[in-house]
C-alpha cells in the first residue's frame, strides 16, 4: 500500500500526522509513506527525524487576511494545487490522509480527484476551515472530540481521539509522578509563565513547595530562571522539551494551554490540568476543548483574562495538594481517551484497504 500523509503550519497538525505514520508502519511495515508539507522547514525537519520521505509545497492561509493578502494567497495556492496533483499522479497513493493546515486542502483534494481514498483528522472541538471543506470529499473523518455542532457528515465520522506519538504512550510508567508541570506550548505563554512564577512565590510563603518542571519558551527563559532563583525555589526550567515522555512520567498535574494535541497527550498519560485557553485561538477552539475536559472531571479552567497569581495559587492549592481530588481527576482525563487515535486510525485505514 502507498500513502500520502499531509499536514502543515504548526506542531499541533504535524505531530498527529507523524503519529499516524508510525502506527501504519507498525501494523503494515511494507506500506510506503510520503509526507507532504509546506516549505517552511518544520515539516521537513520533523519528517526527517522520524525517517519519513518528504516533499514540500508552498501554500498560504487566507482566514483573517486582507483582500490583498487573499489575492496573493489565491495565486500561490493555485500553483500549490497543481504541484499537489503532480505529486499525487507520480506517487499513486491508495490513501491520502490530512491532519490540518492549508496545505492539506490542496493535497487531499488532489488525492480525491486522482481516485485515492481520503481521510482527514480533526484535533479540536471546533473544526478548522480546511477540514470543514474537505469533509465533503473524505471517505473517513476521524475526530478527537464529539461533533456536537454536527459540522461533519455523521455517516463518515468517528470519534477516534487524537493520534499521539508512540514514544510518549510506550514510555508511560505505572507509577504516578509527583511534580507540577507548567506548559506554555513550544513558544511559551507569557501570561502562564508570569502567573505561575508568582503563584509559586505565594505558595512558598505558605510553606507549600511543589517539585516544579517548567517549560517556558525561549523568550521568557532567562526571566523565569531568575525569578525562581531570586525566590529561592528550586525548579527545573526548560525553554523547550524535546522528549516529553520522561517529563510526563514525573508529573501529577499540569498547567497548560488547551490545544487538542496537548490535551490528548495529557489524557494518554493520565495527567489532569489547570487549563488556561489561549484567548486568540481560531474560533476560540481551545475554550471548547477545555470545557469538554472540565465537564468530564479531567481538569479545571481559568480563562486567560481571569488569570492572576492569586487565582492560580488558590487553584494549585485546592487541586495539586489534595491527593483524592487529583487522583479522581487523573482517572477522568485518562478515561476520555483523547490520545488513543493512532492505532484506531491506522487499523481503520488498513481495514478499509483490505490490508
Amino acid at each position: 500500500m502507498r500513502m500520502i500523509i499531509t499536514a502543515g503550519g504548526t506542531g499541533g497538525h504535524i505531530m498527529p500526522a507523524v503519529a499516524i505514520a508510525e502506527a501504519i508502519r507498525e501494523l503494515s511495515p511494507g506500506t510506503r509513506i510520503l509526507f507532504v508539507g509546506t516549505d517552511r522547514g518544520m515539516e521537513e525537519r520533523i519528517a526527517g527525524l522520524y525517517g519519513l520521505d518528504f516533499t514540500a509545497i508552498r501554500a498560504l492561509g487566507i482566514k483573517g487576511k486582507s483582500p490583498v493578502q487573499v489575492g496573493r494567497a489565491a495565486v500561490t495556492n493555485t500553483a500549490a494545487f497543481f504541484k499537489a496533483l503532480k505529486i499525487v499522479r507520480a506517487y499513486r497513493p491508495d490513501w491520502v490522509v490530512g491532519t490540518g493546515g492549508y496545505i492539506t486542502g490542496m493535497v487531499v483534494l488532489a488525492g480525491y480527484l486522482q481516485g485515492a481514498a481520503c481521510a482527514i483528522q480533526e484535533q479540536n472541538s471546533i473544526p478548522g476551515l480546511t477540514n470543514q471543506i474537505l469533509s465533503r470529499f473524505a471517505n473517513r473523518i476521524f475526530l478527537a472530540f464529539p461533533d456536537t455542532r454536527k459540522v461533519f457528515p455523521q455517516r463518515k465520522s468517528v470519534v477516534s481521539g487524537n493520534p499521539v506519538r508512540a514514544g510518549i504512550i510506550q514510555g508511560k510508567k505505572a507509577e504516578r509522578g509527583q511534580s507540577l508541570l507548567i506548559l506554555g506550548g513550544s513558544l511559551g505563554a507569557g501570561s502562564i509563565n508570569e502567573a505561575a512564577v508568582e503563584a509559586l512565590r505565594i505558595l512558598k510563603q505558605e510553606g507549600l513547595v511543589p517539585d516544579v518542571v517548567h517549560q517556558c519558551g525561549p523568550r521568557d527563559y532567562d526571566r523565569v530562571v531568575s525569578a525562581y532563583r531570586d525566590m529561592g525555589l528550586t525548579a527545573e526550567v526548560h525553554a523547550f522539551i524535546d522528549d516529553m515522555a520522561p517529563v510526563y512520567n514525573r508529573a501529577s498535574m499540569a498547567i497548560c494551554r488547551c490545544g487538542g494535541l496537548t490535551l490528548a497527550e495529557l489524557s494518554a498519560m493520565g495527567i489532569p490540568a489547570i487549563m488556561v485557553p489561549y484567548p486568540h485561538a481560531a474560533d476560540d477552539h481551545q475554550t471548547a476543548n477545555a470545557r469538554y475536559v472540565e465537564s468530564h472531571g479531567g481538569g479545571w479552567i481559568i480563562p486567560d483574562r481571569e488569570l492572576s497569581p492569586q487565582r492560580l495559587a488558590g487553584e494549585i492549592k485546592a487541586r495539586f495538594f489534595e491527593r483524592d481530588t487529583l487522583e479522581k481527576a487523573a482517572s477522568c482525563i485518562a478515561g476520555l481517551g483523547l490520545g488513543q487515535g493512532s492505532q484506531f486510525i491506522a487499523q481503520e485505514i488498513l481495514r478499509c484497504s483490505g490490508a
Side-chain angles (χ1 to χ4, degrees):
M1 185 172 75
R2 292 171 177 258
M3 175 181 295
I4 288 178
I5 300 275
T6 178
T10 68
H13 294 315
I14 298 165
M15 297 318 298
V18 169
I20 292 171
E22 284 184 319
I24 289 287
R25 289 195 299 195
E26 178 185 351
L27 296 175
S28 178
T31 296
R32 292 185 59 187
I33 300 175
L34 174 66
F35 192 134
V36 179
T38 72
D39 61 352
R40 296 173 190 167
M42 182 186 294
E43 293 95 316
E44 184 172 12
R45 179 180 64 84
I46 293 174
L49 288 174
Y50 289 89
L52 295 169
D53 293 333
F54 178 81
T55 296
I57 297 178
R58 177 169 172 75
L60 297 174
I62 59 173
K63 191 171 184 179
K65 303 298 183 181
S66 70
V68 173
Q69 290 172 318
V70 169
R72 291 173 180 168
V75 173
T76 298
N77 292 345
T78 299
F81 172 67
F82 283 106
K83 184 171 182 180
L85 271 176
K86 183 178 180 180
I87 292 169
V88 171
R89 285 172 181 160
Y91 197 73
R92 295 179 289 110
D94 300 286
W95 278 87
V96 177
V97 180
T99 60
Y102 288 100
I103 188 66
T104 298
M106 294 74 168
V107 181
V108 172
L109 180 57
Y112 170 79
L113 293 175
Q114 292 299 308
C118 298
I120 56 175
Q121 194 272 322
E122 175 57 54
Q123 294 95 42
N124 296 296
S125 295
I126 300 177
L129 176 62
T130 301
N131 275 349
Q132 291 184 50
I133 296 170
L134 291 178
S135 66
R136 305 171 189 176
F137 312 108
N139 299 82
R140 289 288 184 277
I141 303 167
F142 298 108
L143 307 176
F145 297 87
D147 182 20
T148 57
R149 302 182 181 211
K150 309 300 181 186
V151 174
F152 295 120
Q154 291 187 357
R155 61 184 177 81
K156 298 192 288 186
S157 303
V158 59
V159 178
S160 61
N162 268 324
V164 171
R165 286 167 290 163
I168 290 177
I169 295 176
Q170 293 171 0
K172 182 178 180 180
K173 295 181 179 179
E175 184 177 345
R176 290 184 54 75
Q178 301 297 318
S179 298
L180 175 64
L181 176 60
I182 303 170
L183 297 171
S186 60
L187 298 179
S191 60
I192 290 179
N193 293 333
E194 183 176 349
V197 168
E198 294 306 314
L200 290 166
R201 188 189 305 274
I202 293 170
L203 292 171
K204 185 174 184 291
Q205 291 169 352
E206 298 179 17
L208 299 172
V209 184
D211 180 66
V212 174
V213 180
H214 190 155
Q215 176 189 283
C216 61
R219 184 177 60 184
D220 290 343
Y221 179 78
D222 290 338
R223 181 175 62 83
V224 170
V225 169
S226 295
Y228 283 128
R229 183 175 58 244
D230 292 346
M231 77 172 78
L233 192 151
T234 300
E236 184 180 315
V237 183
H238 301 269
F240 184 73
I241 302 172
D242 289 308
D243 186 3
M244 288 299 300
V247 176
Y248 283 142
N249 278 317
R250 291 171 53 188
S252 60
M253 190 180 82
I255 301 170
C256 61
R257 292 300 196 196
C258 313
L261 185 58
T262 295
L263 296 180
E265 291 181 353
L266 293 176
S267 177
M269 300 301 284
I271 302 170
I274 295 173
M275 300 173 289
V276 186
Y278 178 56
H280 306 298
D283 302 314
D284 200 20
H285 69 260
Q286 289 205 7
T287 295
N289 294 348
R291 284 175 177 163
Y292 180 78
V293 173
E294 185 181 60
S295 70
H296 288 80
W300 311 272
I301 297 174
I302 302 179
D304 194 82
R305 66 181 180 276
E306 298 176 16
L307 183 64
S308 68
Q310 295 76 17
R311 171 75 183 275
L312 184 56
E315 291 287 342
I316 296 171
K317 186 175 180 179
R319 314 302 182 188
F320 183 81
F321 293 101
E322 294 294 332
R323 290 294 145 177
D324 289 343
T325 298
L326 206 57
E327 289 296 329
K328 181 178 179 181
S331 177
C332 288
I333 195 168
L336 287 175
L338 296 178
Q340 297 179 352
S342 303
Q343 290 290 317
F344 184 99
I345 293 169
Q347 289 170 357
E348 179 67 7
I349 288 173
L350 293 172
R351 183 189 67 81
C352 293
S353 303

